[in-house]
């Protein structure tokens, strides 16, 4: 699962440092670049609900295999010349990541239910490492391989390696019937306040993350930071996420619920945005560290909530599909809005105000979604909310 997680961010983070080259070579407007950065996030949301449907028909393991194969094909397609391969490959990569990211929490809930929060932190750490590698190696690979297309396409190789390793070591090569309790499909999830709280928290957190993936280097370049240094700063921020992604579940265990940890991490995100976008140059690296710690930890806890707020793997699958489906569709609006603002020559201060608004909204949602509750199914097959029992 960690090896799979390693491949779920380079397709997104490797594009951001190269946006200036892509825009110059293909003659794209800021709005078109905004569409390009929004497209994979939108496909994440649109295709996440397909994961439970596929899992019920071919099994979770084979669903993940198909997602990895689609990801490798998408990355190879993106290495082609012209607009069509770039946009089509980016959309396919988002679809593959949406499917794979939806089934991973279900596997965690099924295989290691009692340590689900710590295991989620572990594969989230691998996911953040992949994002850091994508951002940090994007420019060097373009220089070494001779083009930005080859740099983007080179990430198909680790996806193929992950596919081979997953097929060889996955826990169940042949799908088996699950326990009857786990196979129950509830109704009325869209009417559950708790499900919406987790969904909207994921949407706000992911919107900030994909704005950073898609636009942080461009925003830093507007503050007279060079292309290479901007890519390094993004890579460093994503690399720092490794430590908080692994440590956040441990931090959350110190309290009665996840609210204090979530608020602390979201405050770090807000401080990081201020230092990078409005602060003096001396705060550049402290801002990178704060942003990385906040985003890595909050993303890890957001994924953990999908497991902790579910009483069975089947519920985890349905909640994961809703949260990542609707949440990522909402998150896609963030990069698109930033692209539109830049197209109309908005100031860095205006973009900072947008990001600060997202941080405040996420904090309010964290106060609700972080409470000690979980989703269950009553005798009539409807979703209900229960007080979480101590483990």
């Amino acid at each position: 699962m960690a090896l799979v997680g390693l491949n779920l961010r380079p397709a997104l983070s490797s594009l951001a440092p190269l946006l200036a080259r892509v825009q110059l070579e293909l003659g794209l407007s800021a709005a078109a670049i905004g569409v390009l950065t929004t497209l994979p996030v939108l496909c994440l949301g649109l295709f996440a609900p397909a994961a439970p449907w596929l899992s019920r028909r071919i099994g979770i393991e084979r669903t993940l295999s198909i997602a990895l194969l689609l990801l490798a094909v998408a990355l190879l397609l993106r290495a082609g010349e012209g607009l069509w391969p770039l946009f089509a490959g980016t959309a396919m990569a988002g679809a593959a990541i949406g499917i794979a990211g939806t089934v991973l929490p279900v596997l965690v809930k099924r295989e290691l239910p009692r340590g689900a929060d710590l295991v989620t932190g572990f594969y989230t750490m691998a996911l953040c490492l992949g994002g850091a590698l994508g951002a940090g190696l994007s420019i060097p690979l373009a220089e070494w391989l001779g083009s930005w297309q080859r740099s983007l396409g080179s990430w198909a190789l680790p996806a193929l390696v992950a596919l081979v390793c997953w097929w060889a070591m996955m826990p169940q090569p042949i799908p088996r019937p699950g326990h009857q309790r786990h196979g129950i499909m509830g109704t009325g999830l869209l009417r559950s306040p708790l499900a919406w709280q987790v969904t909207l928290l994921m949407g706000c957190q992911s919107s900030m993350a994909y704005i950073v993936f898609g636009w942080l280097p461009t925003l830093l370049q507007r503050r007279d930071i060079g292309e290479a240094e901007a890519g390094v700063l993004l890579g460093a921020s994503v690399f720092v996420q490794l430590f908080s992604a692994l440590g956040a579940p441990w931090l959350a265990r110190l309290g009665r619920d996840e609210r204090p940890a979530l608020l602390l991490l979201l405050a770090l995100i807000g401080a990081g945005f201020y230092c990078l976008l409005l602060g003096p140059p001396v705060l550049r690296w402290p801002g990178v560290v704060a942003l990385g710690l906040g985003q890595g930890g909050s993303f890890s806890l957001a994924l953990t909530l999908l497991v902790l707020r579910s009483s069975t793997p089947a519920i985890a699958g349905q909640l994961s599909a809703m949260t990542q489906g609707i949440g990522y569709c909402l998150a896609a609006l963030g990069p698109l809005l930033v692209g539109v603002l830049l197209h109309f020559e908005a100031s860095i201060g205006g973009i900072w105000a947008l990001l600060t608004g997202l941080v405040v909204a996420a904090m309010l949602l964290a106060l609700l979604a972080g409470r000690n509750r979980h989703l269950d199914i009553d005798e009539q097959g409807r979703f209900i909310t229960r007080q979480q029992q101590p483990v």
Side-chain angles (χ1 to χ4, degrees):
M1 286 189 284
L3 186 58
V4 171
L6 190 69
N7 283 273
L8 299 188
R9 283 302 175 269
L12 306 173
S13 63
S14 62
L15 180 59
L18 297 168
L19 282 179
R21 299 189 186 195
V22 173
Q23 185 173 14
L24 180 63
E25 183 172 325
L26 298 180
L28 299 176
S29 66
I33 291 291
V35 172
L36 182 62
T37 58
T38 301
L39 190 59
V41 188
L42 181 62
C43 289
L44 276 168
L46 292 176
F47 284 87
W53 183 84
L54 283 171
S55 298
R56 290 193 298 270
R57 284 155 179 79
I58 63 175
I60 295 176
E61 295 79 13
R62 288 175 175 162
T63 298
L64 193 51
S65 298
I66 290 174
L68 287 171
L69 179 60
L70 180 62
L71 178 61
V73 171
L75 293 170
L76 289 173
L77 175 63
R78 197 161 69 165
E81 298 287 340
L83 282 176
W84 183 86
L86 176 64
F87 278 82
T90 300
M92 287 174 58
I97 294 169
I99 294 171
T102 301
V103 299
L104 276 175
V106 185
L107 282 169
V108 170
K109 184 69 175 180
R110 188 191 69 188
E111 299 295 326
L112 296 161
R114 297 186 67 84
D117 53 346
L118 303 183
V119 176
T120 301
F122 178 69
Y123 84 71
T124 306
M125 181 187 70
L127 191 147
C128 294
L129 175 60
L133 292 174
L137 296 179
S138 186
I139 296 294
L141 282 171
E143 299 294 338
W144 181 51
L145 297 173
S147 73
W148 59 263
Q149 291 95 337
R150 292 174 184 172
S151 175
L152 294 176
S154 65
W155 295 103
L157 179 59
L160 289 172
V161 171
L163 173 61
V164 172
C165 293
W166 173 252
W167 186 255
M169 296 184 291
M170 62 185 182
Q172 298 177 53
I174 299 176
R176 67 183 182 187
H179 189 278
Q180 185 178 2
R181 168 69 173 164
H182 292 176
I184 296 175
M185 300 297 293
T187 59
L189 185 61
L190 293 176
R191 295 192 293 271
S192 167
L194 179 59
W196 276 107
Q197 291 155 15
V198 176
T199 296
L200 294 176
L201 176 61
M202 175 67 83
C204 287
Q205 190 280 332
S206 297
S207 183
M208 292 184 285
Y210 290 117
I211 288 172
V212 169
F213 276 138
W215 287 110
L216 183 61
T218 300
L219 297 174
L220 292 177
Q221 289 172 48
R222 291 199 170 205
R223 298 203 71 194
D224 298 323
I225 296 174
E227 178 189 52
E229 184 181 357
V232 169
L233 288 169
L234 174 61
S237 177
V238 181
F239 178 76
V240 170
Q241 293 181 20
L242 298 174
F243 306 101
S244 57
L246 186 60
W250 291 94
L251 176 65
R253 284 192 169 193
L254 299 177
R256 290 182 295 180
D257 55 40
E258 292 74 37
R259 285 177 292 180
L262 280 168
L263 292 176
L264 173 62
L265 293 164
L266 291 169
L268 285 174
I269 294 176
F273 283 142
Y274 173 80
C275 293
L276 288 169
L277 299 183
L278 296 182
V282 70
L283 294 180
R284 185 179 304 165
W285 282 100
V288 162
V289 173
L291 181 64
L293 290 175
Q295 290 202 302
S298 63
F299 182 58
S300 179
L301 286 185
L303 288 178
T304 300
L305 290 180
L306 302 182
V307 179
L308 295 183
R309 298 298 171 261
S310 306
S311 59
T312 70
I315 296 175
Q318 291 178 267
L319 181 61
S320 181
M322 174 181 171
T323 299
Q324 300 194 57
I326 298 176
Y328 282 135
C329 285
L330 294 174
L333 298 176
L336 179 61
L337 183 55
V338 171
V340 171
L341 289 174
L342 291 176
H343 180 73
F344 288 102
E345 300 181 353
S347 66
I348 293 293
I351 294 173
W352 171 81
L354 167 66
L355 292 168
T356 301
L358 287 172
V359 171
V360 172
M363 285 181 164
L364 295 175
L365 291 163
L367 291 173
L368 299 172
R371 294 176 299 168
N372 207 5
R373 306 284 191 273
H374 73 248
L375 288 167
D376 205 346
I377 299 175
D378 63 13
E379 290 77 7
Q380 287 75 40
R382 297 170 299 188
F383 279 105
I384 57 173
T385 301
R386 299 186 190 275
Q387 180 78 26
Q388 183 78 44
Q389 297 299 319
V391 178

